[in-house]
Amino acid sequence: MDSPKKISGALVSVYSKDRLDLIANQLSSLGITIYSTGGTRDFITKLGIPVVPVEELTTYPSILGGRVKTLHPKVFGGILARREAEEDLAQLEAYRIPRIDLVIVDLYPFEETVRSGADEAAVIEKIDIGGIALIRAAAKNYRDVLIVSSRDQYDELLEVLASGKGETTLETRRSFAKKAFDMTSHYDAEIFTYFDAGEDTALKVSKRSARKLRYGENPHQKGLFFGNLDDLLEQLHGKEISYNNLLDIDAAIGLISEFGETTFAVLKHNNACGLASRERLVDAWNDALAGDPVSAFGGVLITNRLIDKACAEEMNKIFFEVVIAPDYEEDALAVLKQKKNRIILRQLKRGLSEKTIRTVLNGVILQDRDLATETAKEMKLVTRQGIGERQLDDLVFANKIVKHTKSNAIVLVKDKQLLASGTGQTSRVDALRQSIEKALHFKFDLKDAVMASDAFFPFPDSVEIAGNAGITAVVQPGGSVRDQESIDYCDAHGMAMVFTGVRHFKH
């Protein structure tokens, strides 16, 4: 087992000076020689702590506007020398290179500069060269050198210095090295993404925060979430969010983002089983629940409005796992928190990634998220029968829902209420029959209801079945070589149909 190694020299070159005073004082108190340059050296000097300028070590000044400061054999030799290799140590002595056993570096804020909208010249200047080279060198030689690559590690470093009295263990050094390579790989991925500029010539995905889930889709599967949920959601109450919860939450946020008016949705296994838009939130909830009160059991609820006490009391009458809203009245939270495991989330923003990624075979597939939402003006009437304003609103409403429903999908709507949907069926006719059966089971009157399909009808049988059930208006993408047969059936039976020209498969 490797014995702890004493730190004799430390190179400190940081962009942020946060808590640097504590670290410099600790290093000095342990008798560790500090090497530094530029603003970091000036900061430590003002503390009254001895510091050796890197320029004194290398005998070269900082040049090219600060672009070249630490890139020198007297710096990298002191970091990369293998302490157990006699030849390396002899060369350190011959060239008067001091050992550097601790490297503290943070990188120029490249990501932040890109997000700020700065021009390209400013962005390029924030590509760190010396810093990232120092990090990689120290991490590579972790058997002898401790690398601190982020100010987020400063508290841990202070604890290591205090408890080890200036000595570090191999286990500690390897742990810090792992974090350093995580940092450098993420940094390079962000630089590539900037230069790739959406051309997708290669896929670089770097999510640095890992969240261990209880399990994956099933208890025998391991589950992890990579990303920062806190950017999107604030958990106010309840148990830990599960893998399946995350899938439903993602589907729920994508669905509710389609609606501007007061809307409530209930989801189960990524599909809406209830959805309604109303003037009052409590009415939207009651009508959404009515769409399928059986499937709502254990479901995920989402709304685009603040939840008040009246609505919370109605919601609290059933068991559900998750509720998401932009905010809650305090009295409403008190009601909803009566179930200790119920997950209550505040949605901080609506945005989701503009790309979706899935693993397939021995690789991954990437696509643009389906952000197309057809308006009434984009719906082309193809039948003699016209459409009134109410039904047109319902067709737009239904088309939004079917876009977020697993294919093959059919959605039935009336008065901005989801009556039923047929989801994930192997044939469109089966999806339609499933939706009609469910609607009738829950006592809905389909007379003058509308139907939305996520893809075209290959035969006229679907519009015929729909018409016989009382449905009088249909929205579909169109595009079948037999579209005219469906149009002819509608014309012969007083049904209206519009084409959008946009398919919304979801697998």
Side-chain angles (χ1 to χ4, degrees), residues 308-367:
D308 56 27
K309 183 180 180 182
C311 188
E313 287 176 337
E314 289 298 310
M315 295 163 59
N316 203 41
K317 293 177 180 179
I318 72 161
F319 167 73
F320 58 89
E321 286 212 348
V322 181
V323 57
I324 311 160
D327 214 342
Y328 305 80
E329 288 184 354
E330 286 301 319
D331 288 347
L333 276 177
V335 172
L336 296 173
K337 286 181 178 180
Q338 290 174 9
K339 303 295 184 182
K340 68 176 183 178
N341 289 329
R342 179 179 287 158
I343 297 169
I344 303 174
L345 302 173
R346 178 185 286 124
Q347 187 176 346
L348 304 179
K349 60 181 182 179
R350 300 175 80 175
L352 297 173
S353 169
E354 293 184 358
K355 304 281 186 181
T356 63
I357 302 171
R358 294 175 69 174
T359 58
V360 174
L361 301 174
N362 62 344
V364 299
I365 50 177
L366 177 146
Q367 68 170 350

Side-chain angles (χ1 to χ4, degrees), residues 7 101-103 138 144-148 157 160 168 172-173 176:
I7 299 171
D101 311 300
L102 169 63
V103 175
D144 300 303
V145 180
L146 178 67
I147 173 62
V148 178
L157 170 64
V160 167
T168 62
T172 296
R173 295 191 300 273
F176 274 73

